[in-house]
């Protein structure tokens, strides 16, 4: 079989609150909500487990998605995870754009670390309201 995988359609994570998550991804990062689905059952088991599945669209047509499932959410799901354990990295066009992102996010009240020079990329880091580390990265000439 020829490998026909084209890319990541979406990555999905648990969220504490869909409205709070929307404020971060749409309000702070500018990713519009593409869909918000209320689902009554787990697709794999058919077990009753109401949740909201919300998708934010990136400019390339891919998505980052979240599950808001209050009946199964526990506080430990939302502890800030170390970036080695769990993070999502978005890419921007240039190091200059990365600096613009940092300034824009600061103006929107989002604390960022960086830019960190990894030689092949430079990155800024922040946390979303769910404890997920979010990275914005730009390729350098060493990429």
């Amino acid at each position: 079989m020829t490998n026909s995988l084209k890319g990541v359609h979406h990555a999905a994570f648990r969220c504490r609150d869909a409205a709070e998550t929307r404020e971060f991804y749409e309000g702070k990062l500018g990713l519009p909500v593409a869909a918000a689905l209320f689902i009554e059952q787990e697709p794999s088991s058919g077990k009753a487990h109401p949740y909201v599945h919300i998708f934010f669209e990136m400019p390339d047509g891919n998505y980052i998605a979240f599950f808001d499932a209050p009946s199964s959410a526990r506080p430990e799901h939302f502890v800030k995870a170390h970036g080695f354990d769990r993070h999502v990295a978005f890419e921007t066009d240039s190091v200059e754009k990365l600096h613009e992102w940092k300034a824009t996010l600061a103006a929107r009240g989002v604390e960022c670390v960086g830019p960190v020079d990894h030689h092949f990329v430079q990155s800024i880091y922040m946390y979303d309201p769910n404890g997920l580390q979010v990275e914005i990265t730009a390729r350098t000439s060493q990429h």
Side-chain angles (χ1 to χ4, degrees):
M1 176 176 121
T2 303
N3 189 334
S4 63
L5 298 177
K6 299 188 311 185
V8 175
H9 178 272
H10 72 274
F13 304 92
R14 183 184 286 271
C15 71
R16 181 185 354 248
D17 176 271
E20 176 184 60
T21 299
R22 180 179 185 179
E23 171 55 28
F24 182 82
Y25 286 92
E26 189 173 56
K28 309 292 188 197
L29 295 182
L31 301 177
V33 172
L37 312 169
F38 179 74
I39 302 170
E40 297 276 351
Q41 302 172 325
E42 292 179 3
S44 57
S45 69
K47 178 177 128 182
H49 189 182
Y51 64 94
V52 171
H53 198 19
I54 188 168
F55 291 79
F56 299 93
E57 187 169 7
M58 291 180 274
D60 67 0
N62 294 326
Y63 306 88
I64 184 166
F66 292 88
F67 295 98
D68 185 354
S71 67
S72 63
R74 297 186 311 272
E76 58 269 21
H77 288 138
F78 310 109
V79 173
K80 286 185 178 180
H82 190 286
F84 287 1
D85 297 322
R86 186 182 66 208
H87 80 272
V88 61
F90 298 110
E91 185 175 0
T92 192
D93 296 332
S94 66
V95 172
E96 293 75 28
K97 289 285 186 193
L98 183 69
H99 288 276
E100 288 178 26
W101 267 110
K102 183 163 184 177
T104 297
L105 290 165
R108 293 177 181 168
V110 179
E111 263 186 62
C112 294
V113 173
V116 175
D117 187 352
H118 299 290
H119 306 294
F120 70 104
V121 296
Q122 287 190 25
S123 302
I124 58 174
Y125 299 90
M126 70 217 74
Y127 280 92
D128 83 353
N130 308 300
L132 176 65
Q133 188 179 66
V134 176
E135 173 183 1
I136 299 177
T137 191
R139 296 177 191 210
T140 67
S141 61
Q142 291 86 16
H143 192 274

